[in-house]
Amino acid sequence: MATFQTLPGFREFYPEDLSRRNHIFRLWRQTAGAYGFAEYDAPVLEPLDLYKTKSGDEIEGQLFSFTDKGGREVALRPEMTPTVCRLVGAKASALKRPIKWYSIAEFYRYERMQKGRGRCFFQFNADIFGEPGPEAEIELIALLTQCLCSFGLTEQDFYVRLSDRNLWFYYLEALGLDEARIRAVLGAVDKFEKMGDDAFKAYAEQFGELEAGLKAKVLEFLQIKSLPALEAVLAPIGGEKLAARLGDWRKLLGGLAAMGLERFVEVDLGVVRGLAYYTGFVFEAFDRKGELRALAGGGRYDDLVQKLGGPALPAVGFAIGDMTFALLLEQRGLMPTFVQAPDIYCVIGGEAERRAAFADIQALRAMGYRVDYPLKEVAFGKQFKTASDSGAKLALIYGAEELAKGIVKIRDLGDRTESEVASANVAATVREFFTT
Ligand code: HAM
């Protein structure tokens, strides 16, 4: 017989897996709520055009896309950013500012599979719309940090690398490059960590070899790891634009320091982010040991809402992926084990006793207790074993003898003590047990 398997890179969630996933989502939701973000959702299938040119070549090449029965070119969403821009853009004038939104959703990219990378994965996305200044970045980097710290991770486990595409533009402009060349250099910088010198091949194919002096300056800039070093390199260039931008940097780093978060954040001009729409500050979170791929990534994208047909609306946001994040929690022993235990297990004799038990089971479940019982008649001894193996705190015993006496036996599965209660008082007695 043919056995059907999941498509490569797709995941199934058995109950224990889903418990772990739910645990992650629960804490992300709680944290986003504490930061005043509101949750939204959107379709999984979108018009292909939403991603064409807007997300960038890399994501475009990874789309799961097809033509639907109505002849529309469609794609499974590879990311949330264009979608949330459409949502916000359509109602921008009616929404209270700043707009602070988050979502937890599944995404699809036809990627080469590796540790922490699949073809379907979840992301927690958080974005702020309508705030042009670095106050939005402060809020978002704080939220990102808290989303990881809520699980017990510390600055010894992860850090956020902070960079700035604006500064890269100003710097490369000052070195005499035009916009097309600047974009190609940034493409090389994005890949430099992984590919080394080969990262400049695409630039060379398009524009010829990057002149050695310029390349040295690019390599010097991408190695900058502090604000003073950045200020020193930019000082000879000068100008108002640059001075204002360095002011934004001081505000951002000062705000994060005042929140006590400076230990999580490192200036690192080597990060530029591959996605096409970023316009200003960009950041990525990584595990400290450098063993895993990125935990999260984000940045400012002030032009995208307008490019997608909405009003001019500044925006900044990030996404955390669930796969590398779960790996990190497991590596650090911070992923709890989940047991699905009932509160109460009912041990039941024959058919008549079953009917008596059913009334109580229904009433107790309506009160919110997790109640389980054997679906079919099973020997008493076996039922007692199931009851104690189940992790339940109480067993309710419905035997023929008890039924005849108009009582139910209640056994505390912790200390193994037993008592008898009148049938009519089962619910009240159980409530008393669980509230004292
Ligand atoms: P991204 O860097 O493409 O950014 O993805 C963010 C995170 O999603 C990554 O750091 C990674 O944890 C996870 N991720 C991405 N691709 C995969 C994959 N194939 N398998 C497993 N995990 C993956 C964005 O998607 C931007 N839209 C984020 C953003 C929100 N920017 C502004 N707002």
Side-chain angles (χ1 to χ4, degrees):
M1 199 176 76
T3 51
F4 294 104
Q5 296 191 334
T6 56
L7 291 166
F10 281 73
R11 293 181 292 171
E12 292 167 318
F13 291 87
Y14 283 81
E16 307 91 89
D17 306 321
L18 195 61
S19 301
R20 284 193 280 271
R21 187 178 104 189
N22 285 339
H23 166 67
I24 292 175
F25 291 0
R26 197 163 39 238
L27 284 188
W28 280 347
R29 280 207 168 87
Q30 210 178 71
T31 310
Y35 278 70
F37 282 68
E39 189 170 7
Y40 66 93
D41 201 3
V44 167
L45 199 62
E46 290 278 21
L48 178 63
D49 270 349
L50 192 60
Y51 309 109
K52 276 207 164 153
T53 70
K54 282 111 191 165
S55 295
D57 296 344
E58 190 173 349
I59 282 201
E60 221 184 300
Q62 295 170 339
L63 286 173
F64 277 90
S65 56
F66 58 95
T67 309
D68 77 2
K69 290 198 172 75
R72 294 173 206 89
E73 296 278 342
V74 296
L76 287 173
R77 60 183 174 199
E79 59 160 337
M80 194 57 113
T81 313
T83 299
V84 71
C85 284
R86 182 187 60 215
L87 260 77
V88 170
K91 295 209 172 155
S93 54
L95 297 168
K96 266 200 246 122
R97 312 283 175 94
I99 302 156
K100 294 166 59 171
W101 282 14
Y102 82 95
S103 62
I104 297 175
E106 195 167 21
F107 300 92
Y108 306 86
R109 296 184 194 176
Y110 200 89
E111 277 214 54
R112 204 167 51 81
M113 262 114 53
Q114 46 187 305
K115 205 171 157 204
R117 281 286 178 275
R119 291 184 177 164
C120 71
F121 53 95
F122 286 86
Q123 280 184 349
F124 167 87
N125 273 265
D127 295 86
I128 297 183
F129 295 86
E131 177 49 63
E135 293 79 3
E137 277 87 345
I138 295 175
E139 182 75 338
L140 283 161
I141 293 173
L143 172 60
L144 166 59
T145 309
Q146 188 57 39
C147 276
L148 273 58
C149 290
S150 302
F151 294 81
L153 293 168
T154 70
E155 72 272 21
Q156 263 124 51
D157 302 307
F158 77 93
Y159 68 119
V160 179
R161 300 164 75 187
L162 177 64
S163 180
D164 184 357
R165 285 177 72 96
N166 273 357
L167 276 189
W168 267 106
F169 261 85
Y170 298 161
Y171 182 64
L172 296 174
E173 243 168 35
L175 294 179
L177 296 182
D178 60 19
E179 191 179 334
R181 284 183 171 76
I182 293 178
R183 290 196 180 278
V185 168
L186 291 186
V189 172
D190 184 41
K191 297 193 172 65
F192 186 74
E193 208 165 59
K194 253 184 257 154
M195 297 170 63
D197 220 36
D198 282 351
F200 287 92
K201 269 193 182 151
Y203 181 96
E205 277 161 25
Q206 223 183 328
F207 301 104
E209 285 294 332
L210 185 62
E211 194 255 311
L214 275 180
K215 195 168 174 183
K217 285 198 148 56
V218 168
L219 294 182
E220 179 193 18
F221 205 64
L222 74 76
Q223 269 146 31
I224 289 177
K225 293 270 156 59
S226 74
L227 187 55
L230 191 56
E231 286 168 327
V233 173
L234 295 173
I237 301 172
E240 261 173 47
K241 234 168 42 171
L242 216 52
R245 193 57 183 161
L246 288 172
D248 288 343
W249 267 88
R250 280 180 217 109
K251 199 173 214 179
L252 173 50
L253 291 176
L256 291 170
M259 285 179 163
L261 299 176
E262 73 268 46
R263 60 189 193 280
F264 291 98
V265 181
E266 288 185 11
V267 175
D268 188 341
L269 272 287
V271 172
V272 291
R273 308 266 303 138
L275 293 163
Y277 45 69
Y278 290 117
T279 54
F281 285 114
V282 284
F283 46 93
E284 280 187 328
F286 284 90
D287 68 300
R288 282 273 184 202
K289 288 192 182 155
E291 287 170 356
L292 303 168
R293 293 200 43 185
L295 295 161
R300 182 166 280 280
Y301 50 101
D302 283 346
D303 305 331
L304 192 58
V305 177
Q306 197 168 29
K307 272 195 187 142
L308 291 167
L313 192 65
V316 49
F318 69 83
I320 313 175
D322 71 321
M323 291 180 70
T324 29
F325 185 63
L327 280 174
L328 182 63
L329 289 183
E330 259 148 37
Q331 276 184 5
R332 299 292 189 277
L334 292 170
M335 185 69 96
T337 5
F338 294 93
V339 275
Q340 178 118 18
D343 299 312
I344 300 157
Y345 194 90
C346 297
V347 173
I348 302 169
E351 262 319 297
E353 294 83 81
R354 180 172 290 267
R355 276 194 293 277
F358 273 177
D360 287 344
I361 289 169
Q362 287 300 92
L364 290 167
R365 284 174 168 172
M367 287 161 74
Y369 295 110
R370 286 171 294 183
V371 186
D372 223 342
Y373 65 93
L375 292 178
K376 284 204 203 112
E377 213 172 308
V378 180
F380 257 133
K382 216 168 166 191
Q383 289 191 56
F384 279 117
K385 181 163 175 0
T386 309
S388 60
D389 289 350
S390 73
K393 299 206 170 48
L394 276 189
L396 300 184
I397 302 150
Y398 296 85
E401 221 175 276
E402 285 83 8
L403 192 65
K405 285 190 352 201
I407 57 123
V408 172
K409 263 202 200 112
I410 298 192
R411 178 183 292 188
D412 182 331
L413 291 168
D415 63 14
R416 313 215 139 250
T417 53
E418 238 175 50
S419 53
E420 292 184 352
V421 288
S423 299
N425 294 337
V426 172
T429 313
V430 166
R431 181 186 285 133
E432 208 182 303
F433 174 86
F434 281 103
T435 45
T436 51

